[in-house]
Amino acid sequence: MAPPKFMGLSGRPLSLAVSTVATTGFLLFGYDQGVMSGIISAKAFNDMFEATRDNSTMQGTVTAIYEIGCLFGAMFMLSFGDLLGRRKGIILGAVVMILGVIIQVTAQSNATPLAQFIVGRVVTGVGNGLNTATIPTYQAECSKTTNRGLLICIEGGVIAFGTLIAYWVDYGCSFASADMSWRFPIAFQCIFGLVVMTMFFLPESPRWLLTHERYEDAERVIAALRGYEQNSQETAWERDIILDSIRASGHVGQKSTPYRALFTNGKTQHFRRMLLGASSQLMQQVGGCNAVIYYFPILFETSITPGDHNLALLMGGVNMIVYSIFATASWFLIERVGRRKLFLWGTVGQCVSMVITFACLIPGSPAAAKGAAVGLFTYIASFGATWLPLPWLYPAEVNPIKTRAKANAVSTCTNWLFNFLIVMVTPIMVSNIGWGTYLFFAIVNACFLPIIYFFYPETAGRSLEEIDIIFAKGFVEKMSYVQAAKELPLLTEEQVEQEAIKYGLIDTAAHGGGLKGVDAGTVHNAPSEKEDESTSQSRENVVEEGPLGTSEKANR
């Protein structure tokens, strides 16, 4: 019997299609992140939207209001993501983004163009918030352990390529007619949105299907993604490992994870893991990345080449080429070097770059200002290779299956909240304190180092279920979770089940060897010294006939 198919594809081709659509979602994210950089201070744009002319506060507002929309989109997925599902969430995000683009580009001078443009920016942001809160989780849950980090890193890395495309489209259109110079760059992103909408033909996450007790659908998706026959032992193994993880987290019978589950600890350490993911997104933003990405032409024109808008745009495009080149470096380093070292190396690189930038701006001379340009280039290189993709990968894999959707949405909300803050205040900071802006970001980056060193466990090469074991080991053996990750060897699927039993995550394994009629569901949550609230309810075990023809024992 041949493997099941989606879009006529199975195995590696289907996995590639899933990754391509997911990656295009982040390409769209990067494009929209960079498209305003060459438009916001352009004469044609300022002529249409008079309030933005030579007004750093209004420029910051028009640019940053997009992040508020992204925050609303991420909050929507926080509330409804578990019920909506990964696939529908991504499709909805693409549709909303295209709607927002249409609102922006149809603004007319004889009406209230700025208000319409701002509304369009917010709507586009909502769509992007839906996508960025969902795509990393979807990719993580559909990927193999061996390439999960690479695939999500590629997603994060193409943000740089999207921004690169935006910068050069902006530059090319700056030589076109007044309307074309800003309408076309904004409208161009619809192409990426249409590609993302092909998610309609792709499968749902198998882990989401299993949490909703759609066992046959999940088996079909697992078999299609891996190229197995649906009734094969390999399909049953992967299904049962996921079921163990679901039951260990207390997700049995719950269509949506309650918010209180995010704030529990015990062996599953939901709260700590949510904080790890959210803090990575916070640090990405307050480290100054968007001060450089959104406003490089303005920073360049204000501090380095006063009055030369064309050169500022051109150097912004060159900067994005550097950004994209170094973003690809993470693709080759992420599994070899690991998450922790890349976080640490990137932080050091960003800190040193900001020191170079502010030190070279202090003298106020044109010659010294060239050194500041070098600092901005080395900053974007360090960021692109490390902090660009990592905060999208880390929350998607460090959080357990029960809270993954909601915790990842919290991380994305954190990203957009602080993204808005930095994008809003950067032009004001540059106008008022000049080189002090870069001193501020240098100090902030230096503060990241102890947090990462002492609190961020390594997750490279681990299955999502192995990461659960790391936190259970740290809790039970009362050691740091960083140390637990170092001590725990890489595990096979059989060993994951054994370790889950050892640390009390489950009582017995769910594996049924792919044979019908075998008891594959005698797993339930083992009580711990500090149980999750969501799993410390009455433990009356009810035996019922499951949809796979197996006797399942579920917590009620």
Side-chain angles (χ1 to χ4, degrees):
M1 182 186 297
K5 295 180 183 294
F6 290 86
M7 291 179 64
L9 305 172
S10 64
R12 183 178 176 82
L14 178 60
S15 295
L16 182 60
V18 166
S19 298
T20 299
V21 173
T23 299
T24 303
F26 269 68
L27 187 71
L28 174 56
F29 166 28
Y31 184 90
D32 212 31
Q33 190 177 44
V35 73
M36 289 302 295
S37 61
I39 293 175
I40 192 65
S41 60
K43 182 180 183 300
F45 186 84
N46 296 154
D47 288 343
M48 173 64 73
F49 307 103
E50 286 286 345
T52 63
R53 192 188 306 278
D54 300 322
N55 187 329
S56 60
T57 301
M58 185 55 70
Q59 288 178 359
T61 301
V62 171
T63 305
I65 200 70
Y66 167 75
E67 271 69 41
I68 294 298
C70 293
L71 176 62
F72 289 155
M75 290 174 66
F76 178 88
M77 292 308 294
L78 176 62
S79 299
F80 303 105
D82 283 326
L83 294 174
L84 187 62
R86 320 311 191 215
R87 178 172 158 274
K88 290 180 181 177
I90 296 169
I91 295 170
L92 178 62
V95 171
V96 172
M97 285 196 81
I98 292 173
L99 176 62
V101 168
I102 294 171
I103 294 172
Q104 290 176 72
V105 299
T106 54
Q108 299 295 325
S109 59
N110 58 358
T112 52
L114 185 59
Q116 180 174 336
F117 190 81
I118 288 174
V119 169
R121 289 282 289 167
V122 173
V123 173
T124 302
V126 170
N128 191 50
L130 293 170
N131 281 345
T132 53
T134 310
I135 288 174
T137 299
Y138 177 75
Q139 182 72 81
E141 293 184 346
C142 290
S143 303
K144 293 181 179 179
T145 301
T146 52
N147 63 5
R148 181 186 67 243
L150 171 62
L151 292 175
I152 300 180
C153 250
I154 290 174
E155 281 177 16
V158 299
I159 295 174
F161 286 91
T163 309
L164 169 67
I165 295 169
Y167 264 73
W168 284 105
V169 168
D170 282 353
Y171 183 71
C173 288
S174 68
F175 299 100
S177 64
D179 270 356
M180 179 70 75
S181 67
W182 69 270
R183 292 186 198 271
F184 180 82
I186 293 172
F188 186 73
Q189 61 195 289
C190 287
I191 295 174
F192 304 127
L194 292 172
V195 174
V196 175
M197 287 179 64
T198 61
M199 178 63 68
F200 183 83
F201 303 102
L202 293 174
E204 179 57 87
S205 155
R207 286 171 170 83
W208 184 85
L209 291 170
L210 286 172
T211 60
H212 285 68
E213 299 177 341
R214 291 169 57 180
Y215 299 100
E216 291 184 6
D217 290 339
E219 284 183 327
R220 179 168 176 255
V221 172
I222 291 170
L225 287 170
R226 305 294 179 251
Y228 303 148
E229 292 183 5
Q230 186 165 341
N231 294 323
S232 69
Q233 186 170 348
E234 292 89 347
T235 300
W237 261 118
E238 186 161 343
R239 176 203 67 199
D240 293 340
I241 290 293
I242 297 169
L243 283 173
D244 278 344
S245 177
I246 292 170
R247 288 164 176 146
S249 67
H251 209 315
V252 175
Q254 294 181 340
K255 301 296 184 186
S256 179
T257 301
Y259 285 101
R260 66 177 182 273
L262 294 171
F263 301 97
T264 57
N265 286 300
K267 294 173 184 176
T268 52
Q269 289 291 301
H270 292 166
F271 184 54
R272 172 182 288 270
R273 294 161 79 171
M274 178 184 71
L275 288 181
L276 287 172
S279 64
S280 70
Q281 291 280 23
L282 184 153
M283 288 188 284
Q284 183 197 59
Q285 294 306 313
V286 299
C289 63
N290 281 310
V292 179
I293 294 168
Y294 275 90
Y295 296 116
F296 186 93
I298 293 177
L299 298 178
F300 212 89
E301 190 174 349
T302 302
S303 304
I304 301 170
T305 59
D308 195 337
H309 182 68
N310 184 65
L311 179 58
L313 276 181
L314 187 60
M315 294 307 295
V318 173
N319 192 40
M320 288 303 104
I321 292 175
V322 173
Y323 184 30
S324 301
I325 290 171
F326 278 87
T328 61
S330 65
W331 305 353
F332 305 99
L333 297 174
I334 188 64
E335 297 299 348
R336 292 182 176 88
V337 176
R339 286 52 158 163
R340 272 172 58 83
K341 287 182 180 178
L342 284 183
F343 270 130
L344 292 168
W345 292 355
T347 301
V348 171
Q350 290 179 179
C351 182
V352 171
S353 297
M354 286 298 185
V355 169
I356 293 171
T357 302
F358 87 76
C360 291
L361 288 176
I362 291 175
S365 65
K370 294 177 181 177
V374 172
L376 292 177
F377 276 100
T378 58
Y379 177 91
I380 208 67
S382 298
F383 175 78
T386 58
W387 276 96
L388 169 63
L390 285 172
W392 298 104
L393 166 61
Y394 205 68
E397 64 181 10
V398 79
N399 286 293
I401 192 167
K402 178 174 183 176
T403 60
R404 186 171 296 130
K406 276 190 164 57
N408 204 50
V410 167
S411 298
T412 308
C413 286
T414 303
N415 176 287
W416 293 120
L417 182 63
F418 284 92
N419 192 319
F420 169 77
L421 174 66
I422 297 302
V423 172
M424 185 72 190
V425 304
T426 293
I428 301 170
M429 290 174 70
V430 172
S431 297
N432 290 281
I433 62 175
W435 60 263
T437 305
Y438 308 98
L439 172 60
F440 168 78
F441 287 126
I443 294 170
V444 169
N445 275 279
C447 294
F448 297 165
L449 291 171
I451 298 172
I452 297 165
Y453 186 81
F454 290 110
F455 296 106
Y456 276 48
E458 182 57 72
T459 55
R462 303 285 188 180
S463 69
L464 298 177
E465 289 69 37
E466 272 182 276
I467 296 169
D468 294 341
I469 305 298
I470 289 173
F471 286 92
K473 176 182 175 69
F475 178 79
V476 171
E477 299 183 8
K478 301 187 187 309
M479 65 170 64
S480 89
Y481 299 95
V482 171
Q483 187 62 32
K486 289 179 180 177
E487 291 187 4
L488 187 71
L490 297 180
L491 305 175
T492 64
E493 291 179 334
E494 296 91 336
Q495 290 170 331
V496 168
E497 288 189 328
Q498 293 166 6
E499 293 294 308
I501 295 170
K502 173 183 174 181
Y503 290 110
L505 288 173
I506 58 176
D507 285 346
T508 55
H511 179 59
L515 300 174
K516 302 293 181 182
V518 177
D519 187 356
T522 59
V523 181
H524 54 279
N525 297 331
S528 65
E529 297 176 36
K530 189 176 181 181
E531 285 186 307
D532 296 344
E533 287 181 36
S534 57
T535 60
S536 61
Q537 308 299 320
S538 171
R539 292 185 172 275
E540 179 183 359
N541 295 317
V542 179
V543 179
E544 59 185 29
E545 189 70 4
L548 296 178
T550 60
S551 173
E552 294 198 3
K553 184 182 289 182
N555 291 326
R556 294 289 185 264

